[in-house]
């Protein structure tokens, strides 16, 4: 028998366990050093580079006033935080396009490229790439452990990036599902991804995440 559990709930439970153990370190996804490091990004990119990347749209067009753009940078944690977010976003992009090569015929169609580029930009500029890296990591681990994992349900099925990462198993382009129902800049909250794990397996997944 399978039991419905929200991934967001799993993460909340994990944070609670962390708090109970007195850890004050910020949990981040471990990106391979050969891909890049925050120190390397600080040498490679200026604050102006980050400002332009995080306040413009996916086509590099200015869409915010100067005041609103600076406010957005501040809400994301300032430039110090943006270096980490950019590193995570770039690695997420790599994984997503690696997955896209397995999900779709190559070369990728213009429709798939535009959808992927748009979704990745929204995830980055809302500060969520680390969240998606962690989620895809423990879903992949669950499958490797033999835990029964459902195809995903709800608004998460509208994400092409989630599909390419293996978080969901439903092609949103094929079924004409909207990404904006899942993640919208006008609604700032953690995207809730609902997945079915088998009853025993979900605790295996939680234990794996806790130990990692």
């Amino acid at each position: 028998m399978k039991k419905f559990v929200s991934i967001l709930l799993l993460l909340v439970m994990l944070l609670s366990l962390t708090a109970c153990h007195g850890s004050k370190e910020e949990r981040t996804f471990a990106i391979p050093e050969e891909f890049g490091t925050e120190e390397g990004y600080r040498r490679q990119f200026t604050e102006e580079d980050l400002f332009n990347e995080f306040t413009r749209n996916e086509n590099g067009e200015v869409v915010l006033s100067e005041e609103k753009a600076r406010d957005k940078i501040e809400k994301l944690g300032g430039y110090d935080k943006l270096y980490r977010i950019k590193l995570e976003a770039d690695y997420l992009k790599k994984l997503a396009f690696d997955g896209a090569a397995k999900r779709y015929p190559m070369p990728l169609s213009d429709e798939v490229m535009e959808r992927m580029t748009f979704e990745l930009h929204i995830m980055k500029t809302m500060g969520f790439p680390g969240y998606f890296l962690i989620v895809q990591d423990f879903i992949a681990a669950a499958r490797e452990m033999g835990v029964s994992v459902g195809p995903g349900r709800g608004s998460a099925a509208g994400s092409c990036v989630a599909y390419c990462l293996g978080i969901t198993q439903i092609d949103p382009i094929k079924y004409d599902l909207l990404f904006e129902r899942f993640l919208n800049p006008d609604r700032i909250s953690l995207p809730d991804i609902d997945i079915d794990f088998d009853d025993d397996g979900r605790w295996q997944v939680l234990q794996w995440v806790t130990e990692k």
Side-chain angles (χ1 to χ4, degrees), residues 105-133:
M106 295 296 290
L108 297 177
S109 68
D110 290 344
E111 182 180 21
V112 173
M113 284 293 298
E114 289 175 8
R115 179 71 171 257
M116 294 279 287
T117 299
F118 172 72
E119 289 191 16
L120 287 165
H121 183 75
I122 295 299
M123 292 172 181
K124 174 177 64 180
T125 56
M126 291 184 71
F128 293 147
Y131 174 87
F132 287 94
L133 286 172

Side-chain angles (χ1 to χ4, degrees), residues 15-31:
L15 290 173
S16 297
L17 287 172
T18 302
C20 288
H21 284 84
S23 173
K24 294 183 180 179
E25 294 185 2
E26 182 180 1
R27 285 180 176 267
T28 56
F29 181 84
I31 296 173

Side-chain angles (χ1 to χ4, degrees), residues 43-86:
R43 292 191 296 269
Q44 185 177 355
F45 301 103
T46 65
E47 290 186 357
E48 182 179 0
D49 293 331
L50 296 181
F51 180 86
N52 292 334
E53 184 169 343
F54 279 83
T55 62
R56 297 182 179 184
N57 66 15
E58 69 275 14
N59 299 314
E61 300 167 334
V62 176
V63 293
L64 297 174
S65 67
E66 186 78 12
E67 182 181 354
K68 288 184 177 180
R70 295 193 180 284
D71 184 57
K72 183 171 187 176
I73 297 297
E74 184 178 344
K75 287 181 178 178
L76 286 169
Y79 291 105
D80 192 56
K81 182 70 173 179
L82 289 191
Y83 282 104
R84 177 67 198 181
I85 295 175
K86 176 171 172 54

